[in-house]
């Protein structure tokens, strides 16, 4: 299980050790560092992947590139649009992944230290960061043709990925939408993205004219379904890419037969063994019922991806401000407990496709003082909503005082 600890970066003072489980949730008020934490997690996972699959550049191994020239931190700043002022001599990132440990200490010019973790096997996972700006995909027609930032950044990458995954769904193979069950999505090479009614296929329209909720949920749904669908399938690598992997993993002095190594790697690294997502504000613009349906769908997709490869390489980390997301997560956590007691009875309440093994969920609250705290009640195995829904207590108190006035 990967872990991360971040100190003195932006609004974050010290997160403590955070467990990145199958489902990881970050909550907190605005400007407490939720997105900062999510982006750093994403960057560390991405760097670990690049090193794990062993790609080279100009004959230099990728692990060397990320431990020199301040590349680790420079890419983080540029891609995720961080201010260099976020970093100081006290800044620190300690990430312990599945295959590599990454340690970074210092300001925006410092280097990272990266070491392999013994007795681990590299694997190839598909990564995707789904930003809060995702509704721009639907709200702005043809955004992929004109959005050209000076630097290759997070939003541009998301648009680029969207341009690829949307074509997985055609008029004859549409994607039913979870947040609007009466609608389905498909891509037409002439018309572009289209939504149509399931009971009236002739009634179709562009997502540009859809509600804000559909515009926010549509890219997320398409990404989740298309990318988890690649787990267990062959990665899009050429034989030349594969040989670069082999060369980087073997020393010149190695007596391992490279032909044998290529054969073994083609069965592992060339297959996507997991799907990893980082989602900002999963509930964005959605009615509570739609929030619940979308979260359960994401959990189900992650579970299905893990079952495809009989492992735990698929995961999702997300931020939220919604008490409904916490409530649904608590139901799923309770179901994971009762499923061990009575699977049949539990499955009648919560469909089995949404039930994860107990201990698969972690949740953290980021405070205004820059710290993070684990909000999973270990005894009840539930996420505490005390920090998120503090509004209810003062609303209730104010109503009691107002009723006292009304009643004399």
């Amino acid at each position: 299980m990967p872990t991360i600890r971040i100190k003195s970066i932006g609004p974050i003072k010290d997160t403590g050790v955070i467990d990145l489980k199958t489902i990881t949730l970050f909550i907190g008020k605005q400007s407490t560092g939720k997105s900062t934490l999510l982006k750093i997690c994403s960057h560390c996972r991405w760097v670990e992947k690049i090193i794990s699959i062993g790609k080279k550049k100009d004959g230099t191994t990728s692990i060397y590139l990320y431990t020199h020239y301040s590349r680790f931190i420079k890419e983080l700043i540029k891609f995720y649009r961080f201010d260099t002022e976020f970093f100081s001599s006290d800044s620190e990132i300690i990430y312990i992944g599945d295959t590599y440990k990454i340690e970074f200490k210092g300001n925006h010019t410092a280097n990272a230290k990266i070491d392999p973790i013994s007795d681990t096997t590299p694997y190839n996972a598909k990564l995707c960061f789904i930003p809060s700006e995702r509704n721009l995909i639907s709200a702005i027609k043809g955004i992929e043709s004109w959005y050209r930032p000076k630097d290759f950044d997070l939003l541009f990458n998301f648009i680029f990925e969207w341009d690829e995954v949307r074509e997985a769904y055609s008029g004859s193979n549409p994607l039913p939408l979870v947040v609007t069950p009466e609608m389905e999505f498909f891509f037409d090479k002439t018309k572009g993205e289209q939504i149509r009614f399931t009971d009236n296929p002739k009634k179709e329209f562009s997502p540009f004219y859809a509600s804000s909720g559909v515009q926010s949920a549509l890219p997320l749904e398409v990404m989740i379904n298309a990318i988890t669908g690649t787990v267990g399938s062959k990665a899009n690598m050429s034989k030349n890419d594969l040989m670069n992997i082999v060369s980087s993993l073997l020393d010149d002095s190695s007596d391992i037969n490279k032909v044998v190594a290529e054969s073994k790697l083609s069965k592992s690294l060339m297959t996507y063994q997991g799907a990893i997502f980082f989602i900002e504000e999963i509930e964005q613009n959605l009615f509570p019922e739609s929030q619940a349906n979308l979260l359960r769908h994401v959990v189900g997709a992650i579970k299905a991806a893990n079952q495809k490869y009989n492992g735990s390489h698929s995961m999702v980390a997300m931020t939220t401000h919604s008490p409904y997301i916490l409530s649904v997560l608590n139901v799923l956590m309770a179901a994971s407990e009762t499923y061990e007691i009575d699977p049949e009875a539990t499955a009648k309440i919560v469909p089995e496709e949404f039930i994860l093994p107990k201990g698969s969920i972690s949740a953290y609250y980021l405070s205004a003082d820059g710290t993070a705290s684990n909000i999973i009640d270990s005894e009840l195995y539930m996420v505490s909503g005390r920090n998120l829904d503090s509004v209810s207590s003062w609303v209730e108190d104010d109503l009691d005082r107002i009723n006292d006035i009304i009643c004399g």
Side-chain angles (χ1 to χ4, degrees):
M1 176 183 61
T3 64
I4 194 166
R5 182 172 188 173
I6 300 170
K7 297 180 182 179
S8 302
I9 298 179
I12 296 175
K13 181 180 179 182
D14 188 352
T15 63
V17 177
I18 287 178
D19 296 327
L20 299 175
K21 297 189 177 183
T22 305
I23 307 294
T24 304
L25 190 70
F26 301 127
I27 69 172
K29 297 179 180 179
Q30 287 78 14
S31 302
T32 54
K34 298 186 302 300
S35 289
T36 298
L37 173 55
L38 195 70
K39 290 172 180 177
I40 294 175
C41 289
S42 175
H43 184 60
C44 289
R45 293 290 279 183
W46 174 255
V47 171
E48 181 182 28
K49 169 184 171 166
I50 293 298
I51 297 172
S52 293
I53 65 176
K55 288 189 175 180
K56 285 187 166 186
K57 183 177 181 181
D58 301 328
T60 306
T61 58
S62 51
I63 190 169
Y64 175 86
L65 288 176
Y66 281 102
T67 55
H68 293 75
Y69 318 117
S70 306
R71 178 167 176 172
F72 173 82
I73 198 66
K74 284 180 178 178
E75 285 196 2
L76 172 65
I77 290 171
K78 183 174 72 172
F79 187 78
Y80 293 98
R81 297 182 290 188
F82 281 165
D83 191 330
T84 56
E85 296 299 318
F86 269 34
F87 303 89
S88 68
S89 58
D90 297 323
S91 296
E92 188 171 343
I93 299 170
I94 302 175
Y95 168 77
I96 302 176
D98 295 318
T99 53
Y100 285 89
K101 178 180 181 180
I102 301 173
E103 292 182 271
F104 172 84
K105 296 181 180 181
N107 61 21
H108 65 282
T109 64
N111 282 313
K113 178 184 177 184
I114 303 176
D115 295 307
I117 298 173
S118 60
D119 300 324
T120 59
T121 303
Y123 66 92
N124 188 21
K126 188 78 171 175
L127 271 68
C128 180
F129 193 104
I130 303 178
S132 57
E133 301 95 333
R134 57 186 174 271
N135 59 344
L136 295 178
I137 294 290
S138 304
I140 301 177
K141 285 186 175 181
I143 189 172
E144 69 279 358
S145 63
W146 65 264
Y147 182 74
R148 294 290 185 270
K150 181 180 179 182
D151 294 317
F152 189 84
D153 64 4
L154 175 64
L155 183 55
F156 182 85
N157 182 70
F158 181 72
I159 294 170
F160 178 79
E161 288 184 331
W162 167 254
D163 198 35
E164 290 185 328
V165 302
R166 63 180 180 176
E167 296 188 13
Y169 303 100
S170 62
S172 59
N173 178 40
L175 174 68
L177 299 180
V178 173
V179 298
T180 49
E182 71 280 4
M183 297 179 184
E184 56 190 16
F185 166 84
F186 67 96
F187 177 75
D188 183 277
K189 290 186 178 180
T190 303
K191 299 178 182 178
E193 298 98 343
Q194 293 290 296
I195 294 175
R196 69 185 177 198
F197 289 88
T198 53
D199 61 351
N200 186 6
K202 292 184 178 180
K203 190 176 182 181
E204 57 186 48
F205 58 95
S206 166
F208 178 78
Y209 301 105
S211 68
S212 60
V214 171
Q215 288 182 345
S216 292
L218 176 62
L220 194 157
E221 286 196 48
V222 174
M223 286 288 190
I224 291 289
N225 282 274
I227 292 176
T228 55
T230 66
V231 175
S233 64
K234 294 296 182 182
N236 187 22
M237 288 190 211
S238 67
K239 188 171 182 178
N240 183 59
D241 290 332
L242 180 59
M243 288 311 300
N244 282 339
I245 295 172
V246 175
S247 298
S248 66
L249 293 177
L250 301 178
D251 296 328
D252 292 335
S253 60
S254 175
D255 59 357
I256 299 176
N257 188 299
K258 287 193 176 186
V259 174
V260 174
E262 178 183 354
S263 176
K264 290 181 178 179
L265 286 170
S266 66
K267 295 177 182 178
S268 57
L269 291 181
M270 284 196 68
T271 299
Y272 286 125
Q273 296 158 297
I276 300 174
F277 297 92
F278 300 90
I279 306 172
E280 287 188 307
E281 298 176 30
I282 186 173
E283 76 279 3
Q284 192 179 75
N285 299 329
L286 293 176
F287 186 71
E289 182 181 1
S290 298
Q291 295 180 32
N293 290 336
L294 182 58
L295 177 60
R296 297 206 318 175
H297 178 70
V298 169
V299 171
I302 294 297
K303 179 180 179 179
N306 277 328
Q307 289 176 331
K308 276 185 184 180
Y309 224 87
N310 192 29
S312 57
H313 297 320
S314 294
M315 57 154 282
V316 58
M318 53 192 166
T319 65
T320 187
H321 295 116
S322 172
Y324 304 108
I325 294 296
L326 258 66
S327 297
V328 174
L329 210 57
N330 277 332
V331 171
L332 298 183
M333 292 174 70
S336 71
E337 278 202 304
T338 59
Y339 189 78
E340 294 179 354
I341 301 169
D342 191 334
E344 187 176 345
T346 302
K348 290 179 181 179
I349 304 170
V350 177
E352 192 173 357
E353 63 187 290
F354 305 131
I355 302 175
L356 297 170
K358 185 179 178 181
S360 300
I361 297 172
S362 61
Y364 296 87
Y365 177 75
L366 276 73
S367 304
D369 65 0
T371 62
S373 54
N374 184 346
I375 53 173
I376 298 284
D377 188 311
S378 57
E379 292 185 3
L380 299 176
Y381 191 53
M382 293 183 68
V383 182
S384 169
R386 182 174 60 254
N387 299 108
L388 184 62
D389 197 25
S390 58
V391 173
S392 296
S393 59
W394 64 256
V395 167
E396 189 174 317
D397 181 60
D398 284 356
L399 284 174
D400 285 342
R401 293 165 64 189
I402 289 172
N403 283 329
D404 286 344
I405 296 173
I406 293 174
C407 298

